[in-house]
Amino acid sequence: MPEDTSIRIPRHLLPADGRFGCGPTRVRQSTLDRLAESGSAYMGTSHRQLTVRHMVGRVRSGLTELFDLPDGYEVVLGNGGASGFWDAAAFGLIERASQHLKFGAFSSKFVGVVSGAPHLEEPDVIESQRGTHPVPSPSDRIDLYALTHNETSTGVTMPVRRVEAGGLTVVDATSAAGAMQVDPRQFDVYFFSPQKAFGADGGLYIALCSPRALERIERIAGSGRWIPPFLSLSSAVSQSVKDQTYNTPALATIFMLADTVEWMNAQGGLAWSSERCAANAAMLYGWAEKHPMAEPFVPEPSMRSQVGATIDFHRPLSWAHLAATLRANGIVDTEPYHKDGNHLRIGLWPSIPRSDMEAFIACLEYVIEATLG
């Protein structure tokens, strides 16, 4: 089917905001307005001074409230995003050997980092077919279990439960944090980036660390292992408790993250944001289950993401045609992560109100009907 983007969706069907990507996600206009209003008092100032440290403190206290962190847990910030945290964990969190659940592009990237680390043993890798997730297998050899709360590339989610085997339970929550419920007592590290549910920019990682994780970080730091200073989790912890980062962060990202976290807390916290995403997910998956030309990519409902839905389409519909047509009408970033299927990925974030999700579905139906004639 040719990628004809001449189809024009009636204006009354269009959502108020056409950003439905799985990351980076839409930034709320009110956040941008407040950032602009801060003027020269914030942007372009020293991150070692109280102006910026106060903003980092807002992030740390806001996340402590949002996730209801128990006493002794710390909110740790560092530059580099979740990709940087994978490298930092290979140096400063894994003692000898880790186990990884591999079920998509992002969970496999952590495997690649650890597999290439000469000071670590070969990791255990447990893999499942696309559209599903594997489960951990406790072992005396393993001192860190690497889980992924939500696999961004495929739209598969898994529950976060501590692996009761002595090792640390470390969770990549990049696309889940702030949008899915989690019990902090079930993890030792829950790390993520701010450009997904929190509607900010990338380049920063946030790691919610338990006392067990903090003890592990300090023990490895004092063991004599060489750790690049930029990737030192010990330095990240010591700077974070002072409401600082090791080196200069993107100040706009810090501001937007603080603003969004406080907005979520004011609305009702993690319960509110996760319920809003779940409602968007139920709406979109429900539509796909009923439409004769569509179906959810993930067959098991309990494994379907409530933050980024992957929807399969039947031929002669083409994902490229659908995505290009939506983009030509101002509805952007629905393209799939993998181009070997026939599906779209649609963000379901807390910043997306029900009215916009309803409008998105109406627009998608319009494009399908116009395409099939």
Side-chain angles (χ1 to χ4, degrees):
M1 181 174 293
E3 294 179 25
D4 177 11
T5 58
S6 62
I7 297 170
R8 286 293 170 260
I9 300 172
R11 290 183 62 85
H12 72 275
L13 293 180
L14 294 173
D17 190 317
R19 292 172 291 176
F20 287 87
C22 286
T25 67
R26 60 173 71 181
V27 180
R28 294 179 307 123
Q29 187 60 48
S30 57
T31 296
L32 294 174
D33 291 343
R34 278 187 283 273
L35 177 60
E37 289 166 4
S38 70
S40 60
Y42 176 72
M43 293 296 293
T45 65
S46 170
H47 74 293
R48 299 294 184 196
Q49 300 303 314
L50 288 178
T51 303
V52 176
R53 289 175 62 187
H54 172 69
M55 197 66 63
V56 175
R58 285 173 56 186
V59 168
R60 283 174 25 89
S61 63
L63 290 172
T64 298
E65 178 184 348
L66 185 71
F67 289 97
D68 192 20
L69 296 182
D71 291 343
Y73 280 60
E74 288 289 351
V75 178
V76 178
L77 289 80
N79 285 332
S83 300
F85 190 85
W86 295 328
D87 293 339
F91 278 104
L93 206 52
I94 303 171
E95 289 190 299
R96 293 181 298 104
S98 54
Q99 183 180 103
H100 300 254
L101 303 189
K102 180 180 175 182
F103 55 107
F106 291 92
S107 49
S108 66
K109 289 181 179 181
F110 196 4
V111 175
V113 169
V114 175
S115 297
H119 60 284
L120 298 176
E121 297 177 12
E122 191 68 19
D124 282 352
V125 180
I126 304 175
E127 191 169 1
S128 67
Q129 66 184 32
R130 285 176 61 189
T132 68
H133 69 75
V135 296
S137 178
S139 168
D140 291 339
R141 188 178 79 90
I142 301 302
D143 60 76
L144 184 147
Y145 294 88
L147 316 182
T148 302
H149 198 177
N150 186 81
E151 175 53 68
T152 314
S153 65
T154 58
V156 175
T157 188
M158 66 173 293
V160 173
R161 299 191 184 100
R162 181 180 294 281
V163 182
E164 300 292 352
L168 298 180
T169 299
V170 175
V171 184
D172 185 338
T174 294
S175 57
M180 297 176 66
Q181 288 278 25
V182 67
D183 179 357
R185 294 162 185 80
Q186 295 296 325
F187 62 74
D188 290 297
V189 180
Y190 193 73
F191 68 94
F192 52 91
S193 304
Q195 73 269 25
K196 304 284 188 176
F198 294 105
D201 271 342
L204 186 77
Y205 73 73
I206 301 97
L208 313 180
C209 297
S210 74
R212 293 180 70 223
L214 296 169
E215 187 277 331
R216 172 79 64 85
I217 289 168
E218 292 311 310
R219 177 150 44 86
I220 292 178
S223 69
R225 175 187 291 178
W226 181 75
I227 300 174
F230 181 75
L231 298 176
S232 170
L233 291 176
S234 178
S235 292
V237 172
S238 64
Q239 292 295 323
S240 294
V241 297
K242 302 174 186 175
D243 292 337
Q244 298 178 165
T245 53
Y246 174 73
N247 56 354
T248 307
L251 300 192
T253 297
I254 296 286
F255 186 102
M256 289 188 287
L257 175 57
D259 188 80
T260 302
V261 170
E262 290 172 354
W263 170 69
M264 287 178 172
N265 283 330
Q267 300 301 314
L270 195 56
W272 172 84
S273 61
S274 62
E275 286 171 6
R276 191 171 199 186
C277 292
N280 284 339
M283 200 185 315
L284 185 58
Y285 289 129
W287 171 85
E289 288 175 329
K290 295 176 182 177
H291 199 285
M293 297 300 293
E295 62 181 331
F297 170 73
V298 179
E300 171 54 48
S302 66
M303 295 187 186
R304 291 175 189 164
S305 172
Q306 70 177 49
V307 294
T310 304
I311 304 298
D312 268 346
F313 294 92
H314 305 312
R315 302 293 180 181
L317 291 177
S318 157
W319 73 261
H321 168 74
L322 294 174
T325 302
L326 290 171
R327 182 173 289 279
N329 285 272
I331 300 173
V332 301
D333 298 343
T334 62
E335 292 80 4
Y337 189 84
H338 295 284
K339 304 299 192 295
D340 56 351
N342 191 37
H343 51 256
L344 299 180
R345 283 193 315 155
I346 299 102
L348 308 166
W349 307 105
S351 58
I352 299 175
R354 179 185 180 90
S355 58
D356 271 2
M357 185 52 60
E358 290 173 339
F360 173 83
I361 293 171
C363 289
L364 185 55
E365 282 192 328
Y366 184 91
V367 172
I368 291 173
E369 291 173 7
T371 300
L372 297 178

